[in-house]
Amino acid sequence: YDEINSMEDLEGKTTANTISSTYATQAEAHGATVTGVDDLNQTIELLLSGRIDATLNAEVVFADYVKEHPEANIKIATFSDEKVAIPIRKGDDTATLLAAVNDALKEMSEDGTLTALSEKYFGTDISKE
């Protein structure tokens, strides 16, 4: 659907997501009827067959799918600023690890490594805001 360009455009549309996902909750909150599925492959199958209008998921998931299936007739509409994170347990015993990860990410961002890895594995740069 070319008319889905915002969350508000989901009103009256059909989507598919795993029922326990926050994406299903978001779709329902914006007026979509959600079909429960087991995984992304089932979701994409429903989308390509025209049985649903859209699906919500992390942009990185779709970028990976499109990289692996460039022939797929899907459009990705991006309208959130979802972030990808590296969870680290809080506490003094992990402070050094947290600092090391943050330093490495900063360095990789500055020297272009994050962009190169992003483009290699996802076909697009997901490292920039």
Side-chain angles (χ1 to χ4, degrees):
Y1 271 95
D2 286 336
E3 70 241 21
I4 300 175
N5 295 298
S6 71
M7 294 296 277
E8 289 70 29
D9 294 337
L10 293 174
E11 178 75 36
K13 302 290 192 280
T14 56
T15 66
N17 280 98
T18 53
I19 292 300
S20 62
S21 77
T22 58
Y23 297 112
T25 303
Q26 288 177 354
E28 287 176 338
H30 287 88
T33 301
V34 178
T35 299
V37 294
D38 294 325
D39 58 32
L40 181 67
N41 289 331
Q42 188 178 12
T43 301
I44 297 295
E45 183 180 307
L46 291 173
L47 183 64
L48 293 175
S49 69
R51 293 176 55 202
I52 61 171
D53 300 312
T55 185
L56 278 65
N57 212 312
E59 183 179 2
V60 67
V61 171
F62 291 120
D64 183 51
Y65 183 86
V66 170
K67 184 173 186 295
E68 294 298 317
H69 303 90
E71 76 291 347
N73 186 24
I74 61 174
K75 169 190 162 190
I76 299 173
T78 304
F79 37 82
S80 73
D81 24 331
E82 185 174 278
K83 307 288 186 227
V84 176
I86 301 171
I88 296 175
R89 189 173 22 89
K90 287 183 178 181
D92 293 338
D93 58 334
T94 58
T96 303
L97 173 61
L98 178 61
V101 168
N102 284 333
D103 289 346
L105 289 171
K106 182 179 179 191
E107 182 180 318
M108 292 170 70
S109 178
E110 290 171 353
D111 72 11
T113 302
L114 283 180
T115 296
L117 289 170
S118 179
E119 289 172 351
K120 177 180 178 179
Y121 290 103
F122 300 109
T124 189
D125 187 0
I126 63 165
S127 69
K128 304 288 185 222
E129 292 186 35

